[in-house]
Amino acid sequence: MKKTVIWAAVLAMVLAASGCVKTNGDKDSSVKEKNESKAAAAANESSAESAADDTESGSDDDESKISGDKNPDNEETDTDRTEAVMSVVLVPKDGMGFQRKVRFSSRGIRDKVTPHRDVVSLVGEPVEVKLEERDEANGGKLAFFYEPNELKGVRPDALMFLWYDEENDKYVEFEDVVLDTDYYNVSIDIEKPGVYMLVNKYQWYNEQGKKLDDDGMEKEFKPHISSKLWERSMDTGDILKLKDDDYIAKSQTKDGYAYEFYVSTPEELASVVYVNNCANPRPDSITVNIVNDIDLDGYKWAPMGWKLSGTDFNFDFTGTIYGGHHKIKNMRISDGYEDRFYVGFIGNAESCTVGALDFENAYVHGERDIGILAGDPKSSFFTDCNVKGVTEGNTSVGTMIGDDSYEPLKLGKDDRNHMENCTVDVKVNGKKVTDYLSYTALNEAEVQARVRDSEEIWLDGGGRPCRNKDLDGKYFDLVWKVTHNGKVVLTRNAENEYFFEWYLCKSIFNENGEYEIALQATIDGADVEISNTVVVTVDDNTKFIG
């Protein structure tokens, strides 16, 4: 009895310390009240029993205290995965000397957890458990606290633990799981350190070939969508007044957690914005089909896609929009966004696709990264879009797109955008622009016109491009830029290189033809050529070194 009560008290105190019980409407409020009542009762009962035991044994009071750190050093929150598992705790079997020594690992080459992040049916993040010497003899109780709304339809009773047996290179199933739906946790007794994780046991066993009838999923997954975080962080315009909950429910697909919208009214369009900006967990996909022209005159609009300032948590738009060359008319995004970044019909986007969507008489006003269609898209594709309107702001104010800059091979991924067959007719801070689809392109053209041919390069007797030594330290990010058949094939650091031995780069100059070489630098945020261009010719007689 005593161990059971102590374990209940430990869980209650962990809940109180880490805030694991979330309040989501009236139902969860009652659960919270019930938990607080149970926690108080359990703690009181445990305290009474501990006091009686201490009287009998004369033990030190400090040994019965539970200590824990709400935010252990180096604990990482990965918002893609750890939302399902909010925290993990380990309690020694005797219930004493509790320490929170389990945490989500940082990603790295030597991280023991990383190889297990692709386990079939994984729920949340794996964790590495390290037992202290005094715990190794008896082990302890390991508890994963989960967020019900983040399980993406997996039933709590379908949760099972896996432990990775490193010595034998295999996973060991722990089916003897204790499920506590009041405190939202599942726990097991463990004796060994290592990597532990939660999985959907039915999907796990089905993958092993057992072909169970059950898949462990709720019959109808209804995600929790709350606007509280968005409202606290951003101006929501008229979106919350316009959204249609019945329409949203009907637009959720039957296969998986995804949405497909057919949009013909402001209310339906607002519903799309609401789902993208508020749904958590994030939908697997959002597909939008515009089936009529939509007039937003008289409505205060808000961007679709936003980031939580100061965190890695974001609600980027990652979906697909089929515009059908229908028009969104009279969109106005201004009030409440004058000092905001990433402002447009789409604010922040990652790997989204927009096709054949037109805007007429749009007005977008913000602080930075302003575009009528998108403020700050990355790795996104836009085709056959036509944009007319006005953009205003202080920095990076564009036409169709605001910030179109990219970081080559950032995290192993090229995050540049692609735009095809798009047109613009936009007044940018009072200046009419029809030739440039983004602030990045507009700024680059203006800076390029100002600095072109500022410096001179030449070919020496060996056919090597050369530059003057007085350029050292004069420019930021000075490089040799090599173009072949209209495509940039190389940018090479030129800061300490007064001549370019291009014939050493056989893998780049591997085709016969002309290669144009110039000096490039970053000026006022634009990567521009600062010199004249010289041409080297590669043919069958070229002698490569290396």
Side-chain angles (χ1 to χ4, degrees):
M1 171 64 181
K2 177 181 176 181
K3 287 186 177 181
T4 302
V5 173
I6 289 176
W7 175 235
V10 168
L11 292 184
M13 297 179 76
V14 169
L15 284 167
S18 60
C20 290
V21 179
K22 293 191 176 181
T23 303
N24 294 318
D26 294 336
K27 180 179 179 180
D28 283 349
S29 294
S30 62
V31 170
K32 181 181 179 183
E33 291 170 2
K34 179 172 63 174
N35 288 342
E36 289 174 347
S37 177
K38 287 187 175 183
N44 288 336
E45 186 176 351
S46 174
S47 176
E49 291 204 15
S50 296
D53 276 4
D54 291 343
T55 300
E56 294 174 5
S57 63
S59 61
D60 191 332
D61 287 345
D62 288 340
E63 292 183 2
S64 65
K65 291 181 180 178
I66 299 174
S67 62
D69 184 356
K70 181 179 178 182
N71 295 305
D73 292 340
N74 302 320
E75 180 173 359
E76 177 184 282
T77 300
D78 182 338
T79 55
D80 291 336
R81 278 264 175 84
T82 57
E83 290 298 309
V85 176
M86 295 183 295
S87 63
V88 182
V89 298
L90 176 67
V91 181
K93 282 189 176 179
D94 59 8
M96 304 301 177
F98 165 74
Q99 291 187 6
R100 169 124 175 238
K101 49 177 87 75
V102 183
R103 54 195 177 201
F104 299 110
S105 300
S106 299
R107 296 172 185 264
I109 296 175
R110 299 179 181 178
D111 173 23
K112 289 188 177 182
V113 168
T114 294
H116 309 286
R117 288 190 168 103
D118 294 325
V119 167
V120 172
S121 72
L122 182 67
V123 177
E125 277 276 280
V127 297
E128 182 183 3
V129 176
K130 298 179 181 179
L131 295 176
E132 295 184 1
E133 290 185 8
R134 64 183 181 183
D135 298 329
E136 289 182 353
N138 298 318
K141 188 176 289 290
L142 183 68
F144 278 48
F145 289 87
Y146 63 87
E147 165 54 64
N149 290 320
E150 301 294 341
L151 294 180
K152 288 194 173 183
V154 177
R155 299 196 316 269
D157 66 280
L159 296 174
M160 177 180 75
F161 279 91
L162 293 182
W163 170 65
Y164 176 61
D165 182 351
E166 188 173 5
E167 182 178 350
N168 297 301
D169 190 25
K170 67 176 183 179
Y171 291 104
V172 178
E173 297 96 352
F174 284 79
E175 292 193 49
D176 190 18
V177 173
V178 177
L179 172 63
D180 186 339
T181 55
D182 286 336
Y183 292 116
Y184 302 143
N185 73 83
V186 287
S187 60
I188 54 169
D189 291 322
I190 67 170
E191 297 179 352
K192 297 180 180 180
V195 176
Y196 289 82
M197 66 208 79
L198 277 181
V199 297
N200 178 335
K201 65 181 177 183
Y202 297 100
Q203 292 179 355
W204 168 262
Y205 283 128
N206 283 333
E207 186 67 20
Q208 310 306 311
K210 295 191 177 181
K211 305 303 179 186
L212 304 179
D213 292 335
D214 196 344
D215 62 2
M217 303 296 290
E218 301 282 3
K219 297 303 180 184
E220 183 178 358
F221 174 48
K222 295 182 178 180
H224 174 71
I225 303 180
S226 171
S227 63
K228 291 181 180 178
L229 184 60
W230 186 33
E231 288 183 88
R232 287 199 302 265
S233 306
M234 308 289 286
D235 190 292
T236 60
D238 289 333
I239 302 300
L240 301 182
K241 292 189 293 186
L242 291 169
K243 71 177 178 68
D244 184 335
D245 292 332
D246 290 337
Y247 169 73
I248 292 171
K250 293 176 182 177
S251 299
Q252 185 178 343
T253 61
K254 295 181 179 179
D255 184 18
Y257 176 32
Y259 289 89
E260 182 158 15
F261 296 97
Y262 291 86
V263 180
S264 60
T265 68
E267 290 78 10
E268 292 172 348
L269 190 60
S271 300
V272 177
V273 177
Y274 172 71
V275 168
N276 185 86
N277 289 1
C278 301
N280 184 25
R282 310 298 294 135
D284 295 328
S285 67
I286 294 178
T287 303
V288 184
N289 303 275
I290 307 295
V291 297
N292 279 317
D293 289 356
I294 301 174
D295 192 347
L296 301 181
D297 189 27
Y299 296 115
K300 180 182 174 183
W301 211 249
M304 176 168 62
W306 65 284
K307 294 183 183 295
L308 185 59
S309 178
T311 74
D312 292 330
F313 197 62
N314 66 72
F315 291 80
D316 288 348
F317 178 68
T318 60
T320 300
I321 301 177
Y322 298 102
H325 277 306
H326 294 293
K327 295 178 181 178
I328 295 179
K329 302 177 181 178
N330 303 310
M331 179 185 72
R332 184 180 181 89
I333 304 176
S334 176
D335 297 342
Y337 281 87
E338 298 90 337
D339 59 350
R340 294 288 186 178
F341 293 5
Y342 322 127
V343 186
F345 175 71
I346 299 171
N348 296 98
E350 177 77 28
S351 302
C352 79
T353 299
V354 182
L357 181 61
D358 299 339
F359 288 82
E360 183 178 283
N361 194 33
Y363 176 74
V364 180
H365 185 180
E367 171 69 21
R368 176 178 172 178
D369 299 332
I370 315 301
I372 288 175
L373 177 49
D376 183 37
K378 301 298 180 188
S379 307
S380 295
F381 184 67
F382 305 92
T383 181
D384 298 311
C385 296
N386 304 290
V387 173
K388 296 181 180 181
V390 174
T391 57
E392 294 179 345
N394 292 327
T395 306
S396 301
V397 184
T399 51
M400 182 177 81
I401 304 296
D403 183 9
D404 185 38
S405 61
Y406 68 95
E407 298 180 41
L409 301 182
K410 178 182 179 182
L411 298 178
K413 179 181 179 181
D414 187 345
D415 66 357
R416 76 184 70 199
N417 300 305
H418 297 274
M419 291 170 272
E420 296 180 358
N421 302 322
C422 297
T423 67
V424 297
D425 184 354
V426 179
K427 280 191 175 181
V428 179
N429 284 335
K431 178 181 178 181
K432 184 174 182 178
V433 179
T434 58
D435 298 329
Y436 304 102
L437 300 179
S438 69
Y439 163 78
T440 306
L442 174 61
N443 182 54
E444 182 177 304
E446 292 177 345
V447 176
Q448 184 68 81
R450 191 173 76 239
V451 303
R452 185 183 296 276
D453 297 338
S454 297
E455 309 296 344
E456 181 182 5
I457 62 173
W458 63 93
L459 296 178
D460 66 7
R464 303 178 302 182
C466 302
R467 70 167 179 85
N468 289 313
K469 294 183 179 181
D470 62 3
L471 298 186
D472 289 356
K474 184 177 179 179
Y475 294 98
F476 176 72
D477 198 17
L478 184 67
V479 298
W480 297 105
K481 176 183 176 182
V482 182
T483 305
H484 178 56
N485 292 333
K487 181 180 179 181
V488 177
V489 294
L490 176 67
T491 54
R492 174 188 174 93
N493 185 10
E495 184 60 38
N496 298 305
E497 193 171 74
Y498 305 128
F499 49 84
F500 177 22
E501 296 177 302
W502 58 270
Y503 40 79
L504 297 176
C505 304
K506 185 175 181 179
S507 62
I508 300 298
F509 295 83
N510 57 359
E511 293 183 0
N512 288 351
E514 294 184 342
Y515 291 77
E516 300 176 345
I517 302 176
L519 282 176
Q520 175 183 285
T522 301
I523 300 174
D524 294 339
D527 295 329
V528 293
E529 295 179 12
I530 61 170
S531 74
N532 58 302
T533 299
V534 297
V535 177
V536 299
T537 302
V538 175
D539 56 30
D540 292 338
N541 297 318
T542 300
K543 304 298 182 183
F544 282 104
I545 302 174

